Amino acid sequence: MSSEAANTAPMASAAAESKSTKPKDSKKKSKKLEQFLLKTPKGTKDWADKDMIFREAIFNSLSTLFQKHGGVTIDTPVFELREILTGKYGEDSKLIYNLEDQGGELTSLRYDLTVPFARFVASNSISSIKRYHIAKVYRRDQPAMTKGRMREFYQCDFDIAGQYDSMIPDSEILQLLCEGLTGLGIRDFKVKLNHRKILDGIFQACGVQDEDVRKVSSAVDKLDKLPWQAVKDEMVKEKNQPEEVADRIGEFVKHNGTVREVLDILRNDELLTANKSAQEGIADMETLADYLDAFEISSFISFDLSLARGLDYYTGLIYEAVTAASAPPTDAEKLKQKAQKDKKEVEDASEYVGVGSIAAGGRYDNLVGMFSNGKSIPCVGISFGVERLFSIIKARAQKQLNEVSAYKTQAFVMAFGGGEGWNGYLKERMAIAQRLWAAGINTEYLYKAKANIRKQFDAAEKSGAQIGVILGKEEYLEGKLRVKVLGQGEDSDQGELVDVKDIVEVVQKKIEESKKGGMDDITRLIRNL
Amino acid sequence: MSSEAANTAPMASAAAESKSTKPKDSKKKSKKLEQFLLKTPKGTKDWADKDMIFREAIFNSLSTLFQKHGGVTIDTPVFELREILTGKYGEDSKLIYNLEDQGGELTSLRYDLTVPFARFVASNSISSIKRYHIAKVYRRDQPAMTKGRMREFYQCDFDIAGQYDSMIPDSEILQLLCEGLTGLGIRDFKVKLNHRKILDGIFQACGVQDEDVRKVSSAVDKLDKLPWQAVKDEMVKEKNQPEEVADRIGEFVKHNGTVREVLDILRNDELLTANKSAQEGIADMETLADYLDAFEISSFISFDLSLARGLDYYTGLIYEAVTAASAPPTDAEKLKQKAQKDKKEVEDASEYVGVGSIAAGGRYDNLVGMFSNGKSIPCVGISFGVERLFSIIKARAQKQLNEVSAYKTQAFVMAFGGGEGWNGYLKERMAIAQRLWAAGINTEYLYKAKANIRKQFDAAEKSGAQIGVILGKEEYLEGKLRVKVLGQGEDSDQGELVDVKDIVEVVQKKIEESKKGGMDDITRLIRNL
């Protein structure tokens, strides 16, 4: 249980990755081979030690939240039939991982948890469900490991499927989003909000043809990373929109503010009054504004007409939560150009990206219908990005990391003795450990037939055990054991001499007295960071 | 949250699978398309509803066990560099799932959790660790869904890595295996035990050439499914062993009994006295016999010389746990022949297989060394097969299923009113729900602006909530709410009229009084099946 070694696991593997040979060179085996073998695939990592404990605390916090809102959990396969995923992700479809055709069905790793959820709802003919799902998803994207941009990463999703009155489930999802981030100790976030019907209405009113709406939308989606001029260029040059159309769009997408502020602008805009799609969206947003007040979360919300979201399947409200850490550093462009000039293949792009949105989602009313002859079930949901949350929380929790241990051992059984005929009391230690295990006590002992006092105390300390159970050579022959609270110096006291028959009771009492931080304590620690 | 629909999820998808078109026919789209889409890939399934709760209880029981023995948990990527997996699994390597070569590294889905663990230990230069890992693994095997033989399935692994005295970690693993199964309410199991050094010694002593040992071993491995004559035929005809060699092996592998009984036979066997490998194994088993007694688990153990285990990487003790459900039905051979005669492609082979071993493992002292220039760390471990345990537990728990709910909702907020100006108190319900959430209470309400009494009570019942919080039109105007214990008939009592300001406190008190079964209760339920 060498805790230091395990502690460095993610670092070590990230370092191994950046040093790795390029895959195409793998024919040059020999010396490079071992280095190549000793890493995880690009964009993936091992989780271990305290990182694992922190991640568990994040999962714990979010699943408690999801259950608070009536969620039940499901688990779907990590790969789906390829046709299930086809045509759902727009320009990002190229990032889907395929499994090799080894005969049989063509399958791909899931790209998100939303499409598998819609397939699940359709294939089981479910009319309504609130489900949560915490699992890994896969994207062949350019990774930026230290910022939590991975090829294999966790999503924590909560979705509400069912036919309900307008904006009621949507507002609860936004409430849950704010409650979820606050519960993870993140308070400096903003939820950017927009509505696909308003956005599409704006595009139509500005003169975009219906068939061009999605591709213009995906240009607008880049406004969080690029200046308006670059987005305009993409619309005009790559997507063949007249310059005046792009300029009209530019006038709209610069608006943001409270829901009521932006609604005032939209309601008074002459271009939009005749647009049915925009008016439907505006009516939704008016309803929503009231509900956000009822939930007391309006202060977190920014109605932002530049938010477009890349995925094809959204049909209504869309949103994403961002923090200061979401934005790229101010010298990002310079760093990027330097890297390109140096012709470095950028394995780790983390220097010039922010963590991006830490949670995102929207309404998708037609996705289930794509799997069930058009008989659709309206859905709305949110996805929390665990790696990004983790990197923010871990950066804040440097000090608190010391208070957290990955080890949960409570008792360590030792034997002290020596001289003629001393056999190390191994079988006796096993029998005592067996009794403690049977009572539910986390117990270890040193895997040596005979071991000296120092080695046993060292092992006990490493294990994190609070209680030492000591079999003294002579004492044990008289049916006695010594029980000692650890971590107070080896010789601080001699411990309490107890009858072997009372051992479980005494150890349980001493554990109760010196209680260690459990998962709830860590969840609380994170919340109060 | 239509519980009936979700309840049938795994059945529905299994049914869809068996009806599916053969994959190669997928060009014949049109009508078959929807049916094809509405399923999970072959050998995989969705988990939902009560199945999910039972599975969580199994995970809970096992991870508590692993922590009891000092285990820390890790998480590795679902795919590894292909070279990591190559050459580790013997004849079963053909079952590895590859990812498509889309440029970049060649990767494959993990086949077990053991090889990724060894890679983790090597790449982080860990000298000792007890780790547990609960995760999915992938094998392109012929699935038998109802018996828990899947292509995607969970393993729960516990491994001890480090340089220790002989048989001490090995015996603790066996103790943990027995404790784990007993803790899941399984008591009619047997742990079959053998030692690779004894087995290899027997093969050598019987006249098998060193280079043939592994392939003779893999023939012996089939003795749990085939009669001796078929295994002998494979040795003689396919693996070119002289008939007298096979016959000599046959004399050995028929032995089984307690460790001391079989040791007596081996110690007195003249063929083995000169064999170094066998003598080392025998010495190990003598040490082990004492430790099994110290742990009081000897009665579960059967030293069985026919146990060989397929995997290449084992070097010492090997074992697997079986129950009555592990064996194929007595008419298996007949069923199989009939299926072959009918030229049916056997999609679901469950009719003529047992669930197989429910947990298995062994010692592998050289695997870490394959990733670290030969500097190896001795390891020993156990893997519990969750799907197989689940299918046994579920079959026993039919009655108890009724006591378990997937829903954890505690309070349901409703509004009663009508007549002129009645607005349904939606925003008021939201505000009350918000206060209950903030206090950590699992709360729902109906997502309708206005809803009648009956519909709200139905939804409350479906949610499983114990407590109804009722906003009466007039009462609420006077700052009062009604709190009612649900599930006792709608009109059994009028509930308690309380001040709005006291609502959290009152609901918390009533929940405390009518506590539902949590995860610990379900874990206990399974243990006592």
Side-chain angles (χ1 to χ4, degrees):
Chain A
M1 309 140 291
S2 69
S3 90
E4 300 79 26
N7 205 2
T8 64
M11 308 304 163
S13 86
E17 162 160 295
S18 63
K19 276 183 288 176
S20 78
T21 58
K22 294 248 300 286
K24 291 293 179 195
D25 296 345
S26 66
K27 278 157 211 152
K28 288 197 257 166
K29 281 187 179 178
S30 67
K31 279 196 182 172
K32 300 249 172 181
L33 180 64
E34 293 112 39
Q35 206 175 29
F36 177 62
L37 282 171
L38 275 177
K39 70 182 220 51
T40 61
K42 182 174 173 177
T44 70
K45 68 169 195 170
D46 295 322
W47 288 86
D49 209 60
K50 293 186 183 185
D51 284 358
M52 196 70 185
I53 301 292
F54 265 83
R55 200 188 72 179
E56 288 296 317
I58 294 173
F59 289 167
N60 189 35
S61 179
L62 290 175
S63 49
T64 303
L65 170 76
F66 298 151
Q67 289 170 9
K68 220 196 266 183
H69 288 263
V72 294
T73 188
I74 69 165
D75 179 25
T76 65
V78 81
F79 50 83
E80 295 275 347
L81 295 179
R82 194 165 300 163
E83 298 175 42
I84 300 278
L85 307 187
T86 305
K88 311 297 188 302
Y89 300 109
E91 292 182 2
D92 287 340
S93 294
K94 62 181 184 297
L95 303 180
I96 293 174
Y97 273 97
N98 293 328
L99 268 77
E100 193 176 289
D101 181 2
Q102 293 172 285
E105 302 157 341
L106 293 179
T107 57
S108 300
L109 296 185
R110 62 184 165 212
Y111 181 85
D112 63 10
L113 301 177
T114 310
V115 169
F117 171 61
R119 193 264 310 143
F120 171 82
V121 169
S123 66
N124 293 290
S125 306
I126 292 169
S127 59
S128 68
I129 189 171
K130 299 191 208 179
R131 88 85 181 77
Y132 69 93
H133 192 181
I134 298 182
K136 288 172 172 177
V137 301
Y138 299 87
R139 299 182 185 179
R140 292 178 45 80
D141 213 341
Q142 199 54 253
M145 311 279 288
T146 56
K147 300 290 175 82
R149 292 172 64 127
M150 310 284 291
R151 289 182 156 194
E152 172 184 67
F153 59 99
Y154 269 93
Q155 290 193 329
C156 296
D157 280 26
F158 181 88
D159 293 78
I160 301 175
Q163 195 77 51
Y164 299 115
D165 284 353
S166 168
M167 290 294 120
I168 304 181
D170 310 60
S171 60
E172 181 161 339
I173 293 280
L174 292 170
Q175 195 285 333
L176 177 144
L177 167 56
C178 296
E179 194 183 352
L181 294 177
T182 313
L184 290 169
I186 296 173
R187 284 170 205 88
D188 59 340
F189 66 90
K190 203 89 211 155
V191 178
K192 293 202 264 180
L193 207 71
N194 201 355
H195 196 300
R196 273 276 166 96
K197 287 188 178 171
I198 294 176
L199 203 54
D200 291 359
I202 288 172
F203 296 147
Q204 290 163 349
C206 290
V208 177
Q209 300 301 303
D210 282 356
E211 61 271 27
D212 293 342
V213 162
R214 278 281 71 73
K215 65 184 187 187
V216 169
S217 184
S218 86
V220 169
D221 186 45
K222 291 167 188 154
L223 274 174
D224 58 340
K225 297 187 201 79
L226 298 174
W228 164 249
Q229 189 56 48
V231 171
K232 182 183 164 183
D233 282 355
E234 179 175 330
M235 282 188 201
V236 174
K237 291 173 193 159
E238 291 173 38
K239 296 181 168 166
N240 302 315
Q241 300 302 308
E243 194 167 344
E244 60 274 22
V245 168
D247 286 336
R248 279 198 290 267
I249 292 171
E251 281 307 299
F252 276 104
V253 298
K254 72 183 185 194
H255 293 301
N256 62 71
T258 70
V259 175
R260 294 188 208 279
E261 280 168 5
V262 177
L263 272 175
D264 277 344
I265 296 169
L266 295 173
R267 264 191 300 249
N268 296 322
D269 192 281
E270 285 179 20
L271 268 180
L272 297 183
T273 44
N275 185 284
K276 187 168 163 283
S277 175
Q279 291 305 316
E280 285 175 7
I282 289 169
D284 276 353
M285 294 304 283
E286 282 169 344
T287 307
L288 182 69
D290 278 352
Y291 300 163
L292 298 181
D293 286 345
F295 284 135
E296 300 175 351
I297 52 167
S298 300
S299 62
F300 289 113
I301 307 286
S302 167
F303 189 177
D304 186 332
L305 293 178
S306 75
L307 179 74
R309 311 268 310 127
L311 300 175
D312 270 1
Y313 51 65
Y314 291 124
T315 56
L317 202 65
I318 47 177
Y319 32 83
E320 60 182 43
V322 293
T323 72
S326 299
T330 47
D331 57 350
E333 204 47 40
K334 227 169 63 189
L335 287 166
K336 195 169 182 176
Q337 281 165 5
K338 185 176 179 318
Q340 280 163 349
K341 214 184 81 190
D342 297 350
K343 289 192 178 129
K344 280 199 296 196
E345 199 214 338
V346 187
E347 285 264 346
D348 188 331
S350 58
E351 288 167 56
Y352 48 84
V353 297
V355 301
S357 65
I358 50 177
R363 174 164 283 284
Y364 49 101
D365 283 349
N366 303 330
L367 190 56
V368 174
M370 294 171 77
F371 300 121
S372 55
N373 288 320
K375 190 191 154 292
S376 206
I377 308 287
C379 297
V380 62
I382 183 75
S383 179
F384 291 88
V386 175
E387 276 75 3
R388 296 173 184 193
L389 290 169
F390 175 82
S391 69
I392 293 173
I393 289 168
K394 198 181 169 189
R396 290 184 184 184
Q398 283 310 319
K399 217 183 67 195
Q400 288 83 348
L401 272 176
N402 298 326
E403 299 169 27
V404 172
S405 167
Y407 300 101
K408 295 182 176 144
T409 298
Q410 297 169 313
F412 203 94
V413 183
M414 301 176 251
F416 295 167
E420 207 176 338
W422 171 237
N423 66 4
Y425 276 166
L426 172 62
K427 281 181 276 181
E428 291 77 3
R429 282 183 279 146
M430 286 176 163
I432 296 293
Q434 169 84 330
R435 284 185 56 188
L436 297 174
W437 288 327
I441 297 165
N442 300 353
T443 307
E444 293 188 86
Y445 59 95
L446 196 59
Y447 295 149
K448 297 277 177 194
K450 291 186 211 177
N452 69 28
I453 301 182
R454 175 109 311 280
K455 280 198 175 138
Q456 293 183 81
F457 264 111
D458 285 353
E461 196 188 324
K462 245 183 166 179
S463 80
Q466 308 108 288
I467 311 294
V469 176
I470 300 162
L471 287 72
K473 187 180 174 186
E474 309 299 337
E475 287 167 358
Y476 189 71
L477 292 176
E478 291 156 20
K480 300 277 185 192
L481 293 169
R482 217 166 263 283
V483 179
K484 184 171 149 51
V485 176
L486 299 174
Q488 308 177 326
E490 187 178 324
D491 304 314
S492 63
D493 76 293
Q494 294 299 310
E496 188 183 336
L497 201 64
V498 303
D499 282 351
V500 171
K501 69 171 170 41
D502 299 330
I503 185 66
V504 166
E505 203 182 323
V506 173
V507 171
Q508 266 166 340
K509 203 176 116 261
K510 289 206 187 278
I511 289 170
E512 198 55 45
E513 286 165 10
S514 65
K515 227 170 175 47
K516 280 207 294 191
M519 189 49 76
D520 287 344
D521 294 329
I522 298 166
T523 309
R524 204 171 307 122
L525 182 154
I526 289 176
R527 187 183 313 133
N528 298 324
L529 276 180
Chain B
M1 308 141 294
S2 68
S3 90
E4 299 79 27
N7 205 3
T8 65
M11 308 304 162
S13 85
E17 164 160 293
S18 63
K19 276 184 289 176
S20 78
T21 58
K22 294 249 301 285
K24 290 292 178 194
D25 296 345
S26 65
K27 279 157 209 154
K28 287 198 255 165
K29 281 185 179 180
S30 68
K31 280 196 180 172
K32 299 250 170 179
L33 179 65
E34 292 110 40
Q35 206 175 29
F36 177 63
L37 281 171
L38 275 177
K39 72 182 217 54
T40 60
K42 181 175 173 177
T44 70
K45 68 168 196 170
D46 295 322
W47 288 86
D49 209 58
K50 293 185 182 186
D51 284 358
M52 196 71 186
I53 301 292
F54 266 83
R55 200 187 73 180
E56 288 296 317
I58 294 173
F59 289 168
N60 189 36
S61 179
L62 290 175
S63 49
T64 302
L65 171 74
F66 298 152
Q67 288 170 10
K68 220 196 265 184
H69 288 262
V72 295
T73 188
I74 69 165
D75 178 25
T76 64
V78 82
F79 50 85
E80 294 275 346
L81 295 179
R82 195 165 300 163
E83 298 176 42
I84 299 279
L85 307 187
T86 305
K88 311 299 187 300
Y89 300 109
E91 291 183 2
D92 287 339
S93 293
K94 62 182 184 296
L95 303 179
I96 293 174
Y97 273 99
N98 293 328
L99 268 76
E100 192 176 290
D101 181 2
Q102 294 172 285
E105 302 158 341
L106 293 180
T107 57
S108 300
L109 296 185
R110 60 184 166 212
Y111 181 85
D112 62 11
L113 302 176
T114 309
V115 170
F117 170 61
R119 193 264 310 143
F120 172 83
V121 169
S123 65
N124 293 290
S125 305
I126 292 169
S127 60
S128 68
I129 188 170
K130 298 192 209 179
R131 88 85 181 75
Y132 69 94
H133 191 181
I134 298 181
K136 288 172 172 177
V137 301
Y138 299 87
R139 299 183 186 180
R140 292 178 46 79
D141 213 339
Q142 199 55 251
M145 311 278 289
T146 57
K147 300 291 176 83
R149 293 171 63 128
M150 310 284 292
R151 289 182 156 194
E152 173 184 68
F153 59 99
Y154 269 94
Q155 290 192 329
C156 295
D157 279 27
F158 180 88
D159 292 79
I160 301 175
Q163 194 77 50
Y164 298 115
D165 284 353
S166 168
M167 292 294 121
I168 304 181
D170 310 60
S171 60
E172 181 160 339
I173 293 278
L174 291 171
Q175 195 286 334
L176 177 144
L177 167 57
C178 296
E179 193 184 352
L181 294 177
T182 313
L184 290 170
I186 296 173
R187 284 171 206 87
D188 60 339
F189 65 91
K190 203 89 210 153
V191 178
K192 293 202 264 179
L193 207 71
N194 201 353
H195 196 301
R196 273 277 166 97
K197 286 188 178 171
I198 294 176
L199 204 54
D200 291 359
I202 288 173
F203 295 146
Q204 290 163 350
C206 290
V208 176
Q209 299 300 305
D210 282 356
E211 61 271 26
D212 292 342
V213 163
R214 277 281 72 72
K215 64 186 188 187
V216 168
S217 183
S218 85
V220 169
D221 186 45
K222 291 166 189 155
L223 273 175
D224 58 340
K225 298 186 200 78
L226 298 175
W228 165 249
Q229 189 56 48
V231 170
K232 182 183 164 183
D233 282 354
E234 179 176 330
M235 283 189 201
V236 175
K237 291 173 191 159
E238 291 174 38
K239 294 178 172 168
N240 302 316
Q241 300 302 310
E243 195 168 343
E244 60 274 22
V245 168
D247 286 336
R248 279 198 288 266
I249 292 171
E251 282 305 300
F252 276 104
V253 298
K254 71 182 185 195
H255 293 301
N256 62 69
T258 70
V259 175
R260 294 188 208 279
E261 281 167 5
V262 178
L263 272 175
D264 277 344
I265 297 170
L266 294 173
R267 263 190 303 248
N268 296 321
D269 191 282
E270 284 178 19
L271 268 180
L272 298 183
T273 44
N275 185 282
K276 187 168 162 283
S277 176
Q279 290 306 317
E280 285 174 8
I282 288 169
D284 277 353
M285 294 303 283
E286 282 170 345
T287 308
L288 182 69
D290 279 352
Y291 301 163
L292 298 181
D293 286 344
F295 285 136
E296 299 174 350
I297 52 168
S298 299
S299 62
F300 290 113
I301 307 286
S302 167
F303 189 178
D304 186 331
L305 292 177
S306 75
L307 180 75
R309 310 266 314 124
L311 300 173
D312 270 0
Y313 51 65
Y314 291 123
T315 55
L317 203 65
I318 49 177
Y319 32 83
E320 61 182 41
V322 293
T323 72
S326 299
T330 46
D331 57 349
E333 205 47 40
K334 226 170 63 190
L335 286 165
K336 197 170 182 174
Q337 281 165 7
K338 184 176 180 318
Q340 280 163 350
K341 214 185 79 190
D342 297 351
K343 288 190 179 134
K344 278 198 296 195
E345 200 214 339
V346 187
E347 284 265 345
D348 188 331
S350 57
E351 287 166 56
Y352 48 85
V353 298
V355 303
S357 64
I358 51 177
R363 172 162 285 283
Y364 49 101
D365 283 349
N366 303 330
L367 190 57
V368 173
M370 295 171 77
F371 300 122
S372 55
N373 288 320
K375 190 191 153 290
S376 204
I377 307 288
C379 297
V380 60
I382 183 75
S383 180
F384 291 88
V386 176
E387 276 76 3
R388 296 174 184 193
L389 291 169
F390 175 84
S391 69
I392 293 173
I393 290 168
K394 198 180 168 190
R396 291 183 185 185
Q398 283 311 318
K399 216 184 68 196
Q400 288 84 348
L401 272 176
N402 298 326
E403 299 169 26
V404 172
S405 167
Y407 300 101
K408 294 181 178 147
T409 299
Q410 299 169 311
F412 203 95
V413 183
M414 301 176 250
F416 294 167
E420 207 178 337
W422 171 238
N423 66 4
Y425 276 165
L426 173 62
K427 280 181 277 181
E428 290 77 4
R429 282 183 279 146
M430 286 175 164
I432 296 294
Q434 168 83 331
R435 284 184 56 189
L436 296 174
W437 288 327
I441 297 163
N442 300 354
T443 307
E444 294 189 84
Y445 59 95
L446 195 60
Y447 296 148
K448 297 277 176 190
K450 291 187 212 176
N452 69 29
I453 301 181
R454 177 108 311 278
K455 280 197 176 139
Q456 293 183 80
F457 264 111
D458 286 351
E461 196 188 326
K462 246 183 166 178
S463 80
Q466 308 109 286
I467 310 293
V469 176
I470 300 162
L471 289 71
K473 187 181 175 185
E474 309 299 336
E475 287 167 357
Y476 189 71
L477 292 176
E478 290 157 19
K480 300 277 185 191
L481 293 170
R482 216 166 264 282
V483 179
K484 184 169 150 51
V485 176
L486 299 175
Q488 308 176 326
E490 186 178 322
D491 304 313
S492 63
D493 75 295
Q494 294 300 309
E496 187 184 338
L497 202 65
V498 304
D499 281 351
V500 171
K501 67 172 171 39
D502 299 329
I503 186 66
V504 166
E505 203 182 323
V506 174
V507 172
Q508 266 166 340
K509 203 175 116 263
K510 290 206 186 278
I511 289 170
E512 198 56 45
E513 287 165 9
S514 65
K515 225 165 178 53
K516 279 206 294 191
M519 188 49 77
D520 287 344
D521 294 328
I522 298 166
T523 309
R524 204 171 306 121
L525 183 154
I526 288 175
R527 187 183 314 133
N528 298 323
L529 275 180

